[in-house]
Amino acid sequence: MPPAGGPGLPRPRTRPSQADFRRRRFAVFSAFALVLAVVVYAASGSGGGKGHAGTRTEATRKAPEHLVLSDASWQLPAPTSRAVALAADGSIDLFGGLISNGSQSSAAVTRIDPATGSAEQVATLPDPVHDAGGAAIGSRYFVFGGGASSVYPYVQSYSPDVAAGAPSTSVPAQLPAPRADLGAAAAPDGTVYVAGGYDGSSLSPAVLATRDGTSFRTVADLPVPVRYAAVTVAGGYLLVVGGQTGDAADGTYYIQAVDLKTGRASIAGQLPAPLTGASAAELGGSVYVFGGRSAGHVVDSVYKLTLTAGGRWTATADGALPIPMAYMAEVTLGQTAYLLGGEGQLGLPQRTVMVARLTSAPAAAASAAAPFQGDLLIADRGNDRLLLVNADKQLLWSFPSAAHPAPAEGFYFPDDAFFIRHGTAIITNQENQDTIEEIAYPSGRLIASYGHPNVPGSAPGYLDQPDDAYMLDNGMVTVADAKNCRILFLNPNFTYHSVIGDTGRCQHDIPNDVAYPNGDTPLADGNFLVSEIIGSWVDEVTMSGQVIWSVQLPIAYPSDPQQIGPDVYLIADYSNPGQLLEFTRSGRIVWRYDVTSGEGMLDHPSLAERLPNGLICVNDDYRDRVVIIDPATSRIVWQYGATDTPGTAPGLLNTPDGFDLLLPNGTTPTHLPASGPPLPAAVSAAGG
């Protein structure tokens, strides 16, 4: 968040002036779906001069089947992407995948109960693997190819061996050549097809078939060799959908089909958008394609593929995933497809499980579609309080309050607030109180603090205008100590650990000096994004102060940069009119929000973060609101707070300066680290 004044900079207001503006509310509405039963009335006629009472017959036409998309009530036991998922007697077996931060391949075979999400590792593959294909043949489960540090030719096998009570794994065969990034699908006659992939130097056009998992024959060559395609069997065809080619790193439009009777392979249709890393399932005779990457972004698209005359396949949009995701494992049980794990925009493995269910039950009438799932924490700086609201703008919690009193040292000028410890605590920095505090949620009990209230300083134990305090997964804390022109690191017990820049010179010369920092965002690789107000610099630095890259942006006041892609970053320009930028490490601007007048204009926006659904949430500080912007249309689609109307009443804010999103599973998807260590036992036992 922006400091409240500093060397050569104007001091932002602490209380905005009152203005009478009409409250405008923004919401995203979904269409109401209604399925009507058809009732047919028939009356029988009379004969022979006698009248007969009329009779009524009813016939209810079966409602058309439709796809229902939702989050599962459970998650994977650990973040996983690019795994193989297979149906196993009503359960789900998950094989391998990328785990941790995406740098490690797994060898685990994990059995999951889809009703409860309970999971148990039942076996270990001979070799860790990701980006493989898989299929069940008889009582054995096969994982084809894939790789870890190299591309594998291996076929790995898992046999539950329930009767003997001893599951076994082996490497019974090899593919004709090494192959990763492939897909596999089984036809109704038991034949398994392997398609797409990469041998380490070139794409693999050959479509292989096997009946036993150990011997393979080539049945066709794809017209366009691809990797990371979605592969499934439907309507007598093997479909290879999208995928990456050598000259189209972000995916192709192609729907390639292999006629399983003739072996003829063709380009049989096109997607509405290029796609790679998607997942596919056959449900009710149609094929559904879920998520993936398109045009540099992870997407939430769902396409329905329908077979038409001449073996052509048409693709139409059919809903959206709850959150954008790519490289998900897919398994179908009955009329339900489970989409397990995957990677979000940052390319990190996820625990998310989504469900696509084909049903003929009437679709429930929907209320206004929520712009976010979970609860939104707002640091209402001008009112010296924290608020928790939901997408319906209901106030769920506030601090301080009669039920949750402030600590003895007081609670003044909260500039930022982030959930930590799986949603059981909050870390907040009081910029003009010169303190950072960790409080338990929801009790508000003070767990730890650093700094001397209302006494700025630079000696150990002191802060001067602290900004953006984050707790790391190991319990350490980082904070941009703005007026001291340094990035400070604290031990888990909130004592001094180390510092980047401690001369007070406030110039762009990391690690010796920092030019008035107001952001220190943790990254997935363990580094930090630092925003330096003087000179408008953004830097990626290590904890020791080594500069990985640095770029000077064409904005007046850089505030709180966030990584939203492998080389894409989002930042707010704390100015009037304010703007939002997406940029690369080289400084190339790839998207900009810069409305300069009217309701859409931002006045000193301090923090912008991308939500899981791709919308962008923003603190619009001086217009007394938190807004959500659709980047596709550059329109505000939701807001909390009345525009230009500060206040303490329900629905009003006063210079909001920080926010965080907490999902029902206790994760915080808009920033890293996602959780932090568990709450201390003594505090947890006291109920937070």
Side-chain angles (χ1 to χ4, degrees):
M1 294 306 129
L9 296 172
R11 186 179 185 86
R13 66 174 185 171
T14 59
R15 294 288 189 275
S17 60
Q18 180 76 22
D20 289 326
F21 279 84
R22 188 178 182 180
R23 176 179 300 180
R24 301 187 182 184
R25 298 295 189 193
F26 298 83
V28 181
F29 290 93
S30 64
F32 288 93
L34 185 63
V35 179
L36 299 178
V38 179
V39 180
V40 180
Y41 295 93
S44 60
S46 61
K50 287 189 177 181
H52 294 271
T55 61
R56 184 179 71 180
T57 63
E58 290 187 354
T60 302
R61 181 182 302 161
K62 184 180 179 182
E65 290 185 320
H66 56 276
L67 198 66
V68 176
L69 299 149
S70 64
D71 286 311
S73 60
W74 49 274
Q75 293 196 320
L76 296 179
T80 307
S81 69
R82 303 171 187 249
V84 169
L86 299 175
D89 297 326
S91 296
I92 298 170
D93 280 356
L94 193 68
F95 298 81
L98 284 177
I99 57 175
S100 184
N101 63 358
S103 61
Q104 180 182 353
S105 297
S106 172
V109 180
T110 303
R111 178 150 293 187
I112 302 170
D113 180 349
T116 65
S118 61
E120 175 189 9
Q121 183 173 337
V122 294
T124 302
L125 295 172
D127 294 285
V129 67
H130 67 275
D131 282 333
I137 302 177
S139 62
R140 300 174 72 187
Y141 301 85
F142 293 89
V143 176
F144 305 111
S149 58
S150 62
V151 177
Y152 294 161
Y154 312 132
V155 175
Q156 302 189 68
S157 173
Y158 164 63
S159 298
D161 243 347
V162 175
S168 63
T169 58
S170 62
V171 183
Q174 292 192 1
L175 297 170
R179 186 183 293 205
D181 315 335
L182 66 152
D189 67 356
T191 303
V192 172
Y193 296 90
V194 174
Y198 179 72
D199 66 8
S201 60
S202 60
L203 299 172
S204 306
V207 177
L208 307 177
T210 181
R211 300 274 297 184
D212 58 9
T214 59
S215 57
F216 300 86
R217 59 189 177 90
T218 299
V219 295
D221 283 337
L222 293 177
V224 180
V226 289
R227 60 198 293 199
Y228 305 124
V231 177
T232 193
V233 168
Y237 291 87
L238 173 72
L239 294 179
V240 181
V241 183
Q244 179 179 318
T245 66
D247 58 357
D250 254 340
T252 70
Y253 291 87
Y254 303 132
I255 302 171
Q256 301 187 74
V258 179
D259 188 322
L260 299 183
K261 289 184 179 179
T262 66
R264 178 177 177 269
S266 64
I267 297 176
Q270 284 198 338
L271 296 165
L275 202 61
T276 186
S279 304
E282 186 274 328
L283 295 170
S286 294
V287 172
Y288 294 88
V289 181
F290 306 99
R293 290 188 62 89
S294 181
H297 293 282
V298 174
V299 296
D300 61 0
S301 58
V302 177
Y303 298 121
K304 181 180 181 180
L305 308 188
T306 305
L307 180 61
T308 61
R312 301 291 296 175
W313 290 82
T314 61
T316 55
D318 193 7
L321 296 174
I323 59 174
M325 197 67 65
Y327 306 108
M328 299 173 286
E330 184 280 328
V331 63
T332 300
L333 299 175
Q335 293 284 72
T336 301
Y338 291 86
L339 304 168
L340 300 104
E343 296 172 12
Q345 187 64 30
L346 293 181
L348 298 175
Q350 304 292 312
R351 296 178 60 207
T352 304
V353 177
M354 292 180 278
V355 177
R357 181 178 296 108
L358 197 64
T359 178
S360 59
S367 59
F372 60 87
Q373 301 296 317
D375 300 324
L376 191 68
L377 178 69
I378 300 174
D380 192 13
R381 188 185 80 187
N383 285 324
D384 301 327
R385 65 182 182 177
L386 305 178
L387 303 178
L388 191 70
V389 301
N390 61 20
D392 293 326
K393 305 177 186 178
Q394 297 171 318
L395 180 61
L396 308 176
W397 177 83
S398 64
F399 175 84
S401 66
H404 314 296
E409 63 190 46
F411 192 78
Y412 170 65
F413 213 84
D415 180 69
D416 292 285
F418 299 109
F419 277 107
I420 55 175
R421 304 187 191 277
H422 305 276
T424 62
I426 296 168
I427 189 165
T428 176
N429 57 279
Q430 287 65 248
E431 189 178 275
N432 278 14
Q433 195 184 24
D434 303 308
T435 60
I436 60 175
E437 294 174 341
E438 179 186 354
I439 61 173
Y441 172 78
S443 73
R445 180 195 301 263
L446 181 66
I447 299 173
S449 66
Y450 188 89
H452 293 254
N454 306 308
V455 183
S458 59
Y462 287 82
L463 299 166
D464 192 351
Q465 207 177 74
D467 211 342
D468 283 10
Y470 288 95
M471 179 171 285
L472 310 181
D473 274 335
N474 61 7
M476 291 185 65
V477 172
T478 176
V479 61
D481 193 11
K483 278 192 175 180
N484 284 323
C485 293
R486 64 185 183 180
I487 306 297
L488 193 63
F489 298 94
L490 306 180
N491 294 309
N493 64 354
F494 275 51
T495 58
Y496 175 89
H497 178 277
S498 59
V499 69
I500 299 173
D502 200 19
T503 67
R505 287 193 292 257
C506 298
Q507 59 188 8
H508 175 63
D509 185 24
I510 297 175
N512 302 308
D513 306 299
V514 187
Y516 200 38
N518 79 326
D520 57 329
T521 312
L523 299 177
D525 59 8
N527 296 337
F528 302 86
L529 276 184
V530 174
S531 50
E532 300 179 88
I533 299 168
I534 299 173
S536 298
W537 292 93
V538 175
D539 323 281
E540 179 178 347
V541 302
T542 67
M543 189 171 176
S544 64
Q546 177 187 355
V547 177
I548 306 302
W549 57 266
S550 184
V551 65
Q552 195 170 23
L553 295 176
I555 57 179
Y557 195 124
S559 185
D560 296 6
Q562 310 288 319
Q563 185 173 16
I564 61 172
D567 184 20
V568 185
Y569 303 85
L570 175 65
I571 197 166
D573 183 3
Y574 187 72
S575 304
N576 182 23
Q579 57 181 328
L580 311 176
L581 271 68
E582 292 182 7
F583 64 97
T584 67
R585 294 174 196 140
S586 66
R588 182 170 62 92
I589 307 302
V590 297
W591 177 80
R592 186 191 302 264
Y593 179 91
D594 58 352
V595 177
T596 57
S597 63
E599 189 71 19
M601 186 193 78
L602 304 177
D603 187 353
H604 289 81
S606 57
L607 171 63
E609 291 185 339
R610 175 178 285 174
L611 302 180
N613 58 12
L615 302 179
I616 294 175
C617 190
V618 187
N619 280 320
D620 191 13
D621 292 29
Y622 281 16
R623 303 201 78 177
D624 305 303
R625 59 184 183 172
V626 174
V627 300
I628 295 179
I629 294 170
D630 184 347
T633 61
S634 290
R635 294 181 64 86
I636 295 173
V637 298
W638 184 93
Q639 81 174 53
Y640 188 88
T643 307
D644 303 320
T645 307
T648 60
L652 297 182
L653 300 171
N654 186 338
T655 326
D657 206 17
F659 68 85
D660 196 17
L661 181 63
L662 180 68
L663 297 185
N665 59 19
T667 60
T668 53
T670 61
H671 67 84
L672 293 171
S675 57
L679 194 69
V683 179
S684 180

